[in-house]
Amino acid sequence: MKNRLFTIASATSLLALASACTPEAPTMSYQARVLECVRENGFTMLAAHRAGFGPGYAENAISSIQRNADLGVLYAEVDVAESADGQLYLMHDWTLDRTTTGTGEIREMAWSYISTLNLVDPDGQELDETVPTFEDTILAARESGVYLNLDLKNVSEQTLVEAIAANNAENEVIVIAYTVEDAALLHALNPDLVLSAPNRPEELAAAGVNLDNVYLWLGVGEPDAEQDAALATRGLEAAAGLFPLENGETALYTNAAATGVEVLSIDDVLTGSRALGGRSALDPQIETCRTAAR
């Protein structure tokens, strides 16, 4: 009897040890659950490319992000750059010339200079708005209820991931990875971050990326319904960029949404929102998926 009790106790201890050593199953993060709900309900969300610019609204501007909330646009894609002295801020180009009142290479300019500049809208009009820091952008997006798709410029993956954590923004952002290798690095730095990654799911999985926390970038152009359906059968979400095709016609957006794609990246947020029913149609869909994801 003594030997049997020892055997049972030993087996119990071994099972407990094995359980403790078994890697945890991959988890689906909040943003991934939002997108899962979008797919399961047949919704299409809009993402404002470079925050959604236009007359009176500059690229990568806080006012542009705030406008998205008024239009039922859920995502704002913004470009994160780093100044010569380590300040993270929003800027798309490699120079300051086109979108600000300043000049110079972004990697060579100190924040003490960049912070003095005003933003310029696409028509060249100077605005009463300065270049936003990453931290201020997070706060503005949080207050507006807009999620950020983060595109890295001259900032490293590690620096960006650390900044996201410092601002407690893991549930409010999606990070754009242009290659499988970039996605694997970002996943290794923080596996709970949701990524926009190339449409190469097998390679992503082989690189150790949790596909539950990924949506696939189909590229620029009108999405294909059969391709999207094939991904959906595997529980995968997708996004496509319409911005080179936009011409003020609402049919572009309605036709693209009819393919089933979950996210459309666009420049013309006014027309895109109008095409999909405006805030009155989009806000209830957003709230449905926010509630489902909690």
Side-chain angles (χ1 to χ4, degrees), residues 165-229:
N167 286 277
N168 298 309
E170 289 89 345
N171 288 337
E172 300 162 282
V173 303
I174 293 169
V175 183
I176 297 172
Y178 285 99
T179 68
V180 172
E181 293 74 20
D182 290 344
L185 174 57
L186 286 161
H187 180 78
L189 289 168
N190 187 342
D192 292 328
L193 286 175
V194 174
L195 309 177
S196 165
N199 183 22
R200 294 154 66 181
E202 287 77 16
E203 294 177 47
L204 290 166
V209 177
N210 175 13
L211 292 181
D212 282 343
N213 285 345
V214 165
Y215 74 76
L216 300 172
W217 175 247
L218 303 181
V220 172
E222 295 185 44
D224 179 82
E226 290 186 8
Q227 181 184 40
D228 185 79

Side-chain angles (χ1 to χ4, degrees), residues 99-111:
T99 58
T100 79
T101 54
T103 60
E105 296 278 341
I106 62 172
R107 68 188 72 199
E108 297 175 356
M109 298 296 110
W111 180 245

Side-chain angles (χ1 to χ4, degrees), residues 148-171:
L148 298 175
N149 293 353
L150 304 178
D151 195 348
L152 290 76
K153 300 309 289 185
N154 66 324
V155 58
S156 73
E157 287 84 358
Q158 182 166 344
T159 297
L160 181 64
V161 170
E162 289 174 353
I164 292 168
N167 286 277
N168 298 309
E170 289 89 345
N171 288 337

